[in-house]
Amino acid sequence: MLEAPVFAIVAGETSGDILGADLIQGLKKQYPNAIFEGIGGPKMQAEGFNSLFDMERLSVMGLWEPLKRLPELLSIRRSIIKRYTSQKPVVFIGIDSPDFNAKIEQKLHDVGVKTVHYVSPSVWAWRQGRIKNIKCSVDLMLTLLPFEAEFYHQHQVPVCYVGHPLAKQFPKQPNPSSARQQLGLEESKPTLCIMPGSRSAEVELMAELLLDSAAKASQDLGVELQLIMPAANEARFDQLKKILDTRSDRVILLKQQSHQAMEAADVVLLTSGTTALEAMLLKKPMVVGYRMSAVSFRILYPLIKTPFVSLPNLLANQALVPELIQDKATVESLSAEVVNLFKVDSAELVEQFDELHQQLSLDSAALATAAISQLIAGE
C-alpha cells in the first residue's frame, strides 16, 4: 500500500461536490490513510477533504460570464498547477468543470502525474474537436452515462462507465407523504417544487421567470399551488430571499433539502442540469427551462449537435420531458407545461423513469475506485 498517498481533486460546483464526496468514500476503503485535497465543497469536506480555495469561486456559467472573474480563476488554477507539479500527487482527479480542469490536467500530465477526469465533457454534443486534447492530457475518463463511454471507445480514450452515484442514493419508490410531513407541508395540497439553479448567475436569470411561471400556472389551474423552493447553499438562500422579499409570492424557501422538496412535490419546475436527473430518479414529472446571456446563447447554441439538453431526454433518446430553452422559456410556455403535468396521468412516464433509474444504478464509487487503482498501479 502507498504510504499516505495524496489524491488531488478539483470540483467546481455543487454536482461535482456530490460526486467527489461519493468518490472519496470509495477511495478511503482502498486507501484508508490517504490524503484528499484540492478544491471541493461542503460534502467533500465532510469526508475529510482539505479545500485550498472556496469552491463557490469556480461556479460560473456561460461564455462571457467567466471573463468577469478571469484573473481570479487564472490565479487559482496557477496555484493548483504549481502545488501539484512540485508536490506530485498519486493522481489528479478533475471532476466536471472541464474548461477549468483541462489546463490543469494537461500541465500535470506533461510532468508525469496520472490524470483522471470524472464526468465527461459534452464532447459528444458539441465542440468535438476537444477529444484531441483529452487524448493528450487524460489517462482515464470516468463517465456517468452509458452512451458517453461508447464515444470514448471510438476515439481510443481509456474510459470506464461507472453509472451515476445519485441513482444509488434515491429510493426506487419515493414517499411524497413522508417528505411533506418532514418539511411541514400541507398533505393534500397540489405542490410545485421550483428549482432555479445552484449558481448565482443561474438564479439571477431563472428565479423570477420560474416564480412568474408558477404564479400563472396556479392561476390557470384555478387552485393555489403549494410552492416550495430549496436553495442549493447558504449563498443561494440569501440571494433567493432577497428576490422573494420584493415579491408577494407565497413560497416556502428551504435551506438545501432539495431532494426532500422534489420528493414532496407533484411536479418540478427546474433549471436544466443535474437537478433534472434528480427529479427523474424521484420519478417526478418536470418542466425543464434554461436561459443564458443572449450573446453566449447565440455563440454556443449553434454548436450543439444533440436534439436534447436535459438528461432524462438524452438518456432515453426521446422527448420524455418538455424542454424550453432561451427564447422558448417564457412565462406562458413554462406555465402551460406545468398546468398540463398537473392534469395528465404520469404513470407511463414514471415507468420510463424507473427503467432509466435501474440502468444508472451501479456502485459508482467502487467502479471508479477500481479503475483509478488500476491506473495508479500501471495495469
Side-chain angles (χ1 to χ4, degrees):
M1 181 182 297
L2 294 169
E3 183 177 349
V6 175
F7 289 82
I9 307 175
V10 171
E13 52 189 282
T14 302
S15 58
D17 186 37
I18 295 170
L19 295 172
D22 182 71
L23 177 60
I24 290 170
Q25 289 176 7
L27 289 169
K28 280 180 179 178
K29 295 176 183 178
Q30 183 75 17
Y31 305 96
N33 61 335
I35 296 169
F36 300 95
E37 62 174 48
I39 302 176
K43 292 185 182 299
M44 292 170 65
Q45 291 172 43
E47 296 296 329
F49 182 84
N50 177 28
S51 189
L52 306 173
F53 298 91
D54 184 352
M55 187 185 75
E56 178 76 11
R57 305 309 301 163
L58 272 59
S59 299
V60 292
M61 61 179 286
L63 184 66
W64 300 113
E65 289 80 356
L67 294 177
K68 299 174 183 177
R69 295 222 304 269
L70 185 59
E72 178 187 9
L73 292 170
L74 291 176
S75 175
I76 293 173
R77 190 161 66 183
R78 284 194 299 269
S79 295
I80 293 292
I81 292 170
K82 181 178 180 180
R83 180 181 183 89
Y84 295 124
T85 50
S86 61
Q87 305 172 42
K88 293 181 181 178
V90 67
V91 68
F92 174 84
I93 304 167
I95 302 181
D96 210 353
S97 303
D99 292 329
F100 185 84
N101 277 320
K103 191 70 171 180
I104 300 174
E105 289 159 356
Q106 177 195 327
K107 291 291 187 181
L108 296 183
H109 187 271
D110 288 348
V111 298
V113 175
K114 293 178 179 178
T115 58
V116 175
H117 193 84
Y118 193 0
V119 185
S120 168
S122 301
V123 287
W124 39 268
W126 70 300
R127 289 172 58 198
Q128 293 192 354
R130 289 178 291 172
I131 193 68
K132 297 177 183 177
N133 291 331
I134 291 172
K135 289 182 70 171
C136 295
S137 59
V138 174
D139 292 304
L140 173 65
M141 179 65 67
L142 301 176
T143 71
L144 307 183
L145 310 174
F147 61 84
E148 295 174 323
E150 180 58 33
F151 178 86
Y152 286 101
H153 282 307
Q154 291 172 3
H155 289 86
Q156 294 81 50
V157 175
V159 62
C160 180
Y161 165 56
V162 301
H164 205 297
L166 286 175
K168 300 289 284 187
Q169 296 175 20
F170 286 82
K172 294 294 173 61
Q173 297 295 329
N175 190 335
S177 178
S178 175
R180 290 190 186 193
Q181 289 177 9
Q182 292 174 36
L183 295 174
L185 302 175
E186 293 187 42
E187 182 70 25
S188 59
K189 198 169 185 178
T191 302
L192 176 66
C193 179
I194 303 170
M195 305 287 291
S198 62
R199 295 177 286 195
S200 175
E202 285 177 332
V203 170
E204 185 177 340
L205 283 169
M206 296 300 298
E208 296 210 64
L209 171 64
L210 299 189
L211 286 167
D212 290 342
S213 301
K216 180 168 174 48
S218 184
Q219 180 182 358
D220 292 346
L221 283 165
V223 298
E224 184 183 12
L225 294 176
Q226 185 168 219
L227 303 178
I228 50 178
M229 179 185 282
N233 52 46
E234 199 75 39
R236 296 295 77 75
F237 181 89
D238 293 340
Q239 185 180 8
L240 288 167
K241 187 174 186 306
K242 288 179 181 178
I243 292 171
L244 290 172
D245 285 345
T246 67
R247 301 173 57 94
S248 59
D249 308 85
R250 296 181 62 184
V251 179
I252 300 169
L253 180 62
L254 304 170
K255 288 187 178 180
Q256 301 175 324
Q257 296 178 293
S258 61
H259 296 170
Q260 283 180 303
M262 285 191 284
E263 187 172 11
D266 298 297
V267 175
V268 181
L269 175 60
L270 58 90
T271 297
S272 181
T274 303
T275 301
L277 176 65
E278 295 170 340
M280 183 198 83
L281 295 172
L282 286 164
K283 318 301 187 297
K284 296 298 173 178
M286 73 188 82
V287 179
V288 177
Y290 196 76
R291 282 184 180 177
M292 62 177 70
S293 75
V295 174
S296 294
F297 182 79
R298 282 198 296 270
I299 293 173
L300 296 178
Y301 195 72
L303 303 176
I304 296 176
K305 299 183 182 296
T306 59
F308 308 113
V309 299
S310 68
L311 285 172
N313 292 345
L314 286 167
L315 284 166
N317 197 29
Q318 61 176 299
L320 293 185
V321 304
E323 300 179 352
L324 298 163
I325 309 302
Q326 204 66 8
D327 293 340
K328 294 180 180 179
T330 65
V331 171
E332 290 73 19
S333 60
L334 290 166
S335 62
E337 295 289 359
V338 170
V339 168
N340 181 60
L341 290 180
F342 272 101
K343 291 182 175 180
V344 301
D345 185 349
S346 61
E348 183 178 350
L349 179 65
V350 169
E351 286 184 13
Q352 292 170 305
F353 283 171
D354 187 59
E355 290 177 8
L356 294 173
H357 192 161
Q358 293 181 47
Q359 185 180 8
L360 295 175
S361 191
L362 305 177
D363 191 341
S364 302
L367 290 169
T369 295
I372 292 169
S373 296
Q374 288 178 358
L375 176 65
I376 292 171
E379 298 176 5

